[in-house]
């Protein structure tokens, strides 16, 4: 079987039906590289085989991304081809799942979404789950929270009420969820809330929580121990840097107070939002502007890849330190679903 945008591997349809497809496309909006780290972890931890490969020439803007070439000993020796692929994995109990990974397409979003929908229907997928990170005014000293959304009620347990109507920069993941829902397919999204001052660094705490959420939502046995170990190392590095800066320490303390107030108020009867003070909600335009600013920062340099830290790796960002609770994406919203450890190990 061949589609204009992908090639199905021989025998791939023999695996059908596969109940769950997880997608984590690099680039665009993925604070802390949370989704990319989660995808890399699953690929390295679980047995995998290629199911479909997409046509990068039709989907990737090479001049924008500039895939790396290796030059050694007076000649070009290697080229890192941008690969967008769908792999079949098996969890720790042998249950199958599909993982869509690689760079987010620059071009032909409609065609790409149609192609993924074709694969969903061909391979008998019952639910798709998208994962990524978003910058949020939350402290790194509290459990990672997750913003969950779905194409219909009942797909996500204990989903808290979010903001009303807001407009944010588009993504292939968001468009895929929208179109799948309109076509009658179940689709879920988990966005890990990454401390805004760590959004440009790799943040394995968020990746670990995304894996747990996927495991719980799809009833899978997914490993998470290596991500938790990496998270512990990163937490120690952050603590050292925070202790060395009174200014950053003040920001973190303010965020801790805000987060604790949210936790206390969320359980109150009649509470309809996740905020202690609903009147302090940022507007949709403010949230959209902050997400656009984050995307602009991402576009300003080479796209970070998991395992290849950039110059800001694990460095707290003191920008905006004078106003820790404002002028950030969802600044007054500490998060949504409380992380719990069910479903992962």
């Amino acid at each position: 079987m061949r589609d204009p945008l992908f090639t199905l591997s021989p025998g791939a349809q023999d695996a059908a039906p596969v109940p769950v497809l997880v997608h984590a496309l690099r680039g665009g909006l993925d604070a802390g590289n949370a989704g990319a780290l989660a995808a890399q972890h699953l690929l390295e931890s679980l047995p995998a085989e290629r199911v479909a490969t997409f046509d990068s020439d039709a989907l990737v803007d090479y001049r924008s991304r500039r895939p790396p070439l290796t030059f050694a000993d007076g000649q070009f020796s290697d080229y890192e081809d941008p690969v967008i692929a769908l792999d079949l994995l098996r969890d720790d109990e042998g249950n199958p799942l599909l993982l869509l990974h690689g760079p987010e397409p620059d071009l032909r979003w409609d065609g790409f979404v149609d192609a993924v929908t074709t694969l969903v229907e061909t391979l008998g997928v019952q639910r798709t789950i998208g994962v990524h990170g978003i910058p949020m005014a939350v402290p790194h000293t509290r459990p990672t929270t997750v913003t969950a959304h779905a194409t219909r009620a009942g797909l996500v347990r204990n989903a808290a009420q979010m903001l009303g109507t807001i407009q944010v920069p588009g993504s292939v993941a968001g468009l895929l969820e929208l179109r799948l829902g309109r076509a009658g397919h179940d689709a879920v999204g988990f966005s890990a809330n990454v401390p805004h001052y760590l959004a440009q660094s790799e943040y394995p705490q968020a990746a670990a929580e995304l894996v747990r959420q996927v495991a719980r939502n799809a009833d899978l046995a997914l490993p998470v121990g290596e991500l938790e170990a990496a998270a512990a190392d990163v937490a120690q590095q952050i603590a050292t840097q925070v202790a060395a800066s009174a200014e950053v320490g003040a920001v973190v303390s303010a965020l801790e107070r805000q987060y604790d107030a949210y936790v206390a108020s969320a359980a109150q009867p009649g509470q309809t939002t996740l905020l202690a003070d609903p009147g302090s909600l940022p507007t949709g335009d403010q949230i959209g502007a902050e997400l656009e600013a984050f995307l602009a920062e991402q576009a300003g340099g080479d796209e970070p890849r998991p395992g290849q830290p950039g110059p800001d790796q694990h460095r707290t960002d003191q920008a905006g330190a004078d106003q820790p609770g404002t002028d950030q994406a969802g600044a007054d919203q500490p998060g949504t679903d409380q992380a719990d450890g069910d479903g992962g190990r």
Side-chain angles (χ1 to χ4, degrees):
M1 174 183 179
R2 183 172 177 83
D3 181 273
L5 286 182
F6 71 84
T7 300
L8 200 60
S9 301
Q13 289 178 275
D14 295 341
V18 184
V20 179
L21 184 154
V22 178
H23 56 96
L25 297 168
R26 294 196 315 272
L29 183 60
D30 190 21
N33 275 347
L37 284 172
Q40 176 182 280
H41 168 73
L42 293 177
L43 287 169
E44 293 176 349
S45 302
L46 301 174
E49 58 184 275
R50 186 60 39 90
V51 170
T53 304
F54 286 83
D55 183 358
S56 296
D57 267 352
L59 297 170
V60 174
D61 180 354
Y62 289 87
R63 293 187 64 187
S64 173
R65 292 184 181 269
R66 299 289 180 183
L69 277 165
T70 300
F71 186 85
D73 299 325
Q75 62 182 346
F76 289 106
S77 59
D78 198 11
Y79 168 64
E80 190 173 314
D81 189 33
V83 176
I84 305 173
L86 182 68
D87 287 348
L88 174 67
L89 312 182
R90 294 194 178 274
D91 72 0
D92 287 341
E93 296 178 354
N95 300 307
L97 67 147
L98 293 165
L99 177 64
L100 177 62
H101 60 96
E104 179 189 46
D106 301 296
L107 310 169
R108 298 191 62 182
W109 282 17
D110 284 340
F112 179 77
V113 167
D114 288 344
V116 175
T117 302
T118 296
L119 287 168
V120 164
E121 295 171 348
T122 300
L123 299 173
V125 174
Q126 300 173 15
R127 178 177 302 190
T128 65
I129 304 176
V131 293
H132 68 283
I134 56 175
M136 193 72 71
V138 293
H140 68 278
T141 53
R142 298 296 186 266
T144 301
T145 55
V146 171
T147 299
H149 40 88
T151 53
R152 64 177 178 85
L155 291 178
V156 179
R157 291 185 298 173
N158 303 321
Q161 180 176 333
M162 291 295 296
L163 302 178
T165 300
I166 65 174
Q167 192 170 66
V168 298
S171 67
V172 166
L175 182 61
L176 178 60
E177 183 176 322
L178 173 67
R179 296 280 174 79
L180 285 172
R182 288 180 174 176
H185 297 290
D186 287 345
V188 174
F190 293 115
S191 305
N193 300 319
V194 176
H196 64 269
Y197 50 90
L198 297 170
Q200 299 293 333
S201 302
E202 288 192 350
Y203 195 63
Q205 289 89 327
E209 184 54 32
L210 289 175
V211 172
R212 294 189 200 100
Q213 293 288 339
V214 170
R216 183 177 70 172
N217 187 265
D219 195 22
L220 294 168
L222 300 178
V224 74
E226 291 185 6
L227 284 174
E228 290 178 335
D233 290 341
V234 169
Q236 188 172 23
Q237 295 175 37
I238 296 170
T240 299
Q241 294 182 40
V242 170
S245 170
E247 184 180 19
V248 174
V251 172
V252 173
S253 295
L255 292 173
E256 287 173 339
R257 292 192 295 271
Q258 178 176 278
Y259 180 96
D260 293 341
Y262 140 71
V263 171
S265 66
Q268 294 178 2
Q271 184 74 6
T272 58
T273 76
L274 293 174
L275 302 178
D277 178 14
S280 64
L281 276 169
T283 67
D285 287 344
Q286 288 173 325
I287 294 175
E290 289 302 329
L291 291 176
E292 288 173 356
F294 173 75
L295 290 173
E297 290 177 359
Q298 294 289 90
D302 293 335
E303 179 183 315
R305 294 183 298 279
Q308 296 184 325
D312 292 329
Q313 180 72 11
H314 303 149
R315 179 175 64 81
T316 53
D317 186 355
Q318 298 186 35
D322 293 336
Q323 296 183 351
T326 59
D327 294 336
Q328 298 293 339
D332 290 310
Q333 183 175 342
T336 57
D337 292 350
Q338 179 67 41
D340 70 42
D342 294 343
R345 66 164 173 81

